[in-house]
Amino acid sequence: MTTETRNGSPESNSDPTPHKRWSSTLPTWVGIGIFIYLSVFALGFAQLFLVPVVLAFLLSMVFSPIRRFFDRRGLSQGLSALIIITSLLTGLFAIAAALAVPVSGWINNAPQIEMRIEGRLNEITGPFSELFEAKEKLDSMASSDSPKVQQVETQDDNLSQKLAALVPTVMTQFLFTLVLLLFLLASGDMFYEKLVHIMPTLRDKKRAVRITHDIERKLSRYLFTITVINAGLGVAVAIAMWALGMPSPLVFGIIAFLFNFVPYLGALAGIIIAAMVAIVSYDWIGWAPIVAGTYFFLTTLEGQLITPYFVGRSLRLNTVVVFLTISFWAWLWSVVGMIVAVPLLVAVKTLSEHIDGLEPLGHFLSERHAERQPEASIGER
């Protein structure tokens, strides 16, 4: 049935086109949703296998330029890989040795430290103690009027026992990561050659090589720059903690260096640790905010001035997306997920810059107005 418009032309009462369009696209979106759900489930289910694999591939991209440097000097790929792995292990063992004694002391004295912190916090909450006591009396009166119910108390396992239970899994993943990284570095550019070989046309071959080299270049430069910046931050934090009279200032420098690989959350964790140690180390409670404020000032200076200056604009990411990505991977893969979240985001953003259909995703992952700037490499500013 049709109706006449003002100019006399017939007009249909209903246009079935939008309904048909929605009906045709609905199965596509349902399929995408199912694919995303299954992908997340698979990533979580295969965590023990995928975590070392992802770490090994990311580290291989980081160390590939160093391996090529040794190749140009005439060293074999196997020997270059062995030198890189040995240097990496030496650095990790040095960090572990520096942290072993202080951290083990903190773990062994955890009950005394907890009581000390509670005692110092009670000094702050002293004016409100009467309110807390009144609440406890009301709770006890309410519980006395209720029927007696037998309560079963459960005790958590000792912290040391939990850590001991995690050691075999962590060591297995660590060794698997090192062995896979050794094979990846020793194989040279074999994966790139295989990728070029399976591409059907010369244009696709060139594009594949360009994408992989760009991802490798940006990841290696990004992680190298962040590592140098974090090392400088660790030195600054260690000097500041030493000047403030904090115990084990070297430990705080290492904590700042390691934790700062996780944006936002790492700095927050370092501030909390510094504040808690200050509470139990000083007689005056006012030193705690001074120490925490000093740590916060140094990390803010690094995050707002130093890192943006040395990291090219093309690699700066949307801060909201970074925070959500870190939260998602932390939920999925715990601590390792927080470490690999930003490098994976950099890889996805770099990939989107070379594929026409993914350009909107690249703009979305970039910081504000970053897409309007010419692409610059790290340190170019």
Side-chain angles (χ1 to χ4, degrees), residues 275-341:
M276 290 193 300
V277 174
I279 288 176
V280 300
S281 301
Y282 294 105
D283 295 331
W284 181 46
I285 193 66
W287 279 108
I290 293 175
V291 171
T294 303
Y295 195 109
F296 174 76
F297 171 76
L298 293 174
T299 54
T300 303
L301 181 65
E302 172 271 327
Q304 300 300 321
L305 295 178
I306 298 176
T307 297
Y309 180 82
F310 287 100
V311 175
R313 180 173 290 275
S314 63
L315 286 181
R316 298 188 203 168
L317 302 170
N318 187 327
T319 54
V320 177
V321 175
V322 170
F323 181 79
L324 292 176
T325 302
I326 293 173
S327 302
F328 170 77
W329 286 104
W331 166 73
L332 196 64
W333 286 355
S334 187
V335 178
V336 178
M338 292 189 290
I339 296 174
V340 304

Side-chain angles (χ1 to χ4, degrees), residues 104-163:
S104 61
W106 292 350
I107 294 176
N108 294 331
N109 297 327
Q112 292 83 355
I113 294 175
E114 182 180 359
M115 294 176 58
R116 173 79 170 172
I117 293 176
E118 290 180 357
R120 301 309 299 269
L121 292 179
N122 287 335
E123 299 177 7
I124 302 176
T125 59
F128 305 97
S129 59
E130 295 182 0
L131 295 177
F132 295 148
E133 292 177 359
K135 180 180 180 302
E136 291 178 357
K137 291 180 179 180
L138 291 176
D139 292 339
S140 61
M141 292 174 61
S143 60
S144 61
D145 295 338
S146 60
K148 301 295 183 180
V149 179
Q150 184 178 2
Q151 297 181 353
V152 179
E153 296 182 356
T154 60
Q155 295 182 350
D156 294 335
D157 295 334
N158 195 324
L159 179 60
S160 60
Q161 295 177 354
K162 293 182 179 180
L163 293 176

Side-chain angles (χ1 to χ4, degrees), residues 250-268:
L250 179 61
V251 173
F252 287 99
I254 297 175
I255 288 174
F257 168 72
L258 295 176
F259 283 20
N260 210 51
F261 281 100
V262 181
Y264 313 128
L265 301 180
L268 179 61

